Amino acid sequence: MELSIEELNKRFGTKSAVSNISVTLQPGVYGLLGANGAGKTTLMRMVCNILKPTSGRILYDGEDINRLEDNYRNLLGYLPQDFGYYPDFTAKEYLEFIAAVKGLEGKKAKKNVAQVLETVNLSDVAAKKIRTFSGGMKQRLGIAQAVINNPKILVLDEPTAGLDPKERMRFRNLIAELAKDKIVILSTHIVSDIDYIADDILMMKGGCLILNCPTEEAIHSMDGKVWECRLHQAQIDKMSERFRIVNLHHEAGNEVSLRIVSDTQPISGAVNVVPTLDDIYLYHFEDEEVRRDER
């Protein structure tokens, strides 16, 4: 099973949303990283054949997805950032409706609905209306509708946004379990979600693919570029102007421990530390809106 994206471009008027992307995907989890506006959602909507590319093509096992039509759509599972649901449906009714839309009928539909409710741990609330669900329960229902047809390609757009840490952990474990025999594209700006489960990293910036490699290789690309040092509180503003600070930790007295991303040693006494995906994200998106943690 192989999904090939070849020289894909998408323009909206004069704006280029996706620019000349080529990548080949096989079973596994691909973490799609990028700041807001990087082109991630546009790319995923083209993979799902919802948007047509301006140029380029997408092939599934060597065949253009436009020629496969319904046969390709039957292979897909898609969870958009804001998936649609009917609040007065019960979880079971909603999934039965989605099953029908995806061409599942009779015993097959009932079996699949029961299985996915069990998979996402919603069996005990199957008869409750969706409007009574928490955000985490709705997200689990979202993944249920995406996998109800046992898709070969699973596309997830910001699936853990708004979830609490416990729900995010459950969601990551669920995705990892589902990904054994599927191509999973997981788009997020929550870097730790990718860190835990992605086999490969795809990073987009300005519509372009700027990184495409195994997760471990991506992390090692930052070797020698991540530093830790201790400074006096009064020095922080000056350091913030000169360097990219990943996070800071207030120590006893007026000392602050800083984690800095820099090609060179930021100050005398700074020592290299093991990099993470958070460091890679900040390194590439220093001019974008990024998440900084202060403990």
Side-chain angles (χ1 to χ4, degrees):
M1 179 171 55
E2 186 174 274
L3 188 69
S4 299
I5 298 171
E6 299 183 350
E7 298 180 356
L8 204 65
N9 292 275
K10 181 62 180 180
R11 299 186 66 86
F12 295 99
T14 59
K15 177 179 172 55
S16 178
V18 169
S19 181
N20 201 36
I21 286 183
S22 295
V23 63
T24 299
L25 309 178
Q26 295 176 333
V29 180
Y30 294 84
L32 182 59
L33 281 172
N36 291 334
K40 305 187 304 295
T41 296
T42 299
L43 175 62
M44 288 186 295
R45 287 171 65 83
M46 287 191 286
V47 166
C48 292
N49 211 20
I50 297 169
L51 277 179
K52 299 298 182 185
T54 303
S55 62
R57 60 181 185 167
I58 301 173
L59 308 176
Y60 178 77
D61 281 348
E63 291 193 59
D64 193 309
I65 64 172
N66 289 312
R67 293 176 185 168
L68 291 171
E69 295 182 336
D70 286 345
N71 290 330
Y72 179 69
R73 283 189 285 274
N74 291 337
L75 299 171
L76 283 170
Y78 180 40
L79 175 60
Q81 190 169 355
D82 298 305
F83 80 97
Y85 60 89
Y86 299 96
D88 287 323
F89 274 26
T90 66
K92 183 172 179 289
E93 288 170 342
Y94 173 72
L95 291 175
E96 287 174 343
F97 169 73
I98 295 298
V101 169
K102 294 189 176 185
L104 301 176
E105 299 177 347
K107 291 182 180 179
K108 176 69 172 175
K110 290 183 179 179
K111 179 181 177 182
N112 284 25
V113 168
Q115 283 180 340
V116 295
L117 282 168
E118 181 69 26
T119 297
V120 301
N121 196 28
L122 289 176
S123 295
D124 58 339
V125 293
K128 291 190 175 182
K129 293 187 183 296
I130 301 172
R131 58 179 165 80
T132 68
F133 283 11
S134 67
M137 293 165 71
K138 288 174 184 174
Q139 285 296 80
R140 280 186 275 149
L141 184 65
I143 191 67
Q145 63 82 29
V147 301
I148 197 166
N149 59 328
N150 191 26
K152 295 295 184 183
I153 301 168
L154 183 58
V155 181
L156 307 168
D157 192 357
E158 300 285 356
T160 62
L163 301 189
D164 63 39
K166 189 175 181 179
E167 287 283 5
R168 282 172 54 198
M169 179 187 69
R170 289 176 179 170
F171 206 84
R172 289 195 299 259
N173 292 341
L174 173 61
I175 293 167
E177 181 67 24
L178 291 170
K180 291 178 179 178
D181 60 349
K182 307 180 192 303
I183 295 171
V184 180
I185 304 173
L186 170 61
S187 169
T188 184
H189 66 279
I190 302 174
V191 182
S192 60
D193 289 340
I194 298 292
D195 204 357
Y196 282 109
I197 61 172
D199 302 299
D200 290 85
I201 299 297
L202 304 174
M203 185 175 284
M204 291 184 68
K205 184 174 184 179
C208 299
L209 191 63
I210 63 171
L211 194 66
N212 173 20
C213 63
T215 303
E216 186 175 346
E217 184 180 324
I219 292 172
H220 282 309
S221 73
M222 292 296 294
D223 285 345
K225 298 177 181 178
V226 186
W227 309 81
E228 282 191 357
C229 61
R230 288 192 177 189
L231 295 174
H232 190 275
Q233 174 75 35
Q235 297 173 281
I236 293 178
D237 288 344
K238 186 174 290 186
M239 289 295 289
S240 297
E241 292 173 2
R242 297 176 56 203
F243 299 102
R244 288 157 282 186
I245 299 176
V246 179
N247 58 44
L248 56 86
H249 184 198
H250 292 279
E251 306 285 352
N254 288 321
E255 279 199 334
V256 178
S257 174
L258 299 181
R259 184 181 183 94
I260 295 172
V261 175
S262 174
D263 289 320
T264 58
Q265 187 182 39
I267 61 170
S268 177
V271 295
N272 277 130
V273 292
V274 177
T276 67
L277 281 180
D278 267 315
D279 301 318
I280 298 174
Y281 192 87
L282 187 60
Y283 183 78
H284 288 286
F285 296 101
E286 60 174 316
D287 297 324
E288 316 255 0
E289 182 179 350
V290 296
R291 175 169 54 83
R292 299 188 182 186
D293 298 322
E294 180 174 352
R295 294 194 295 269

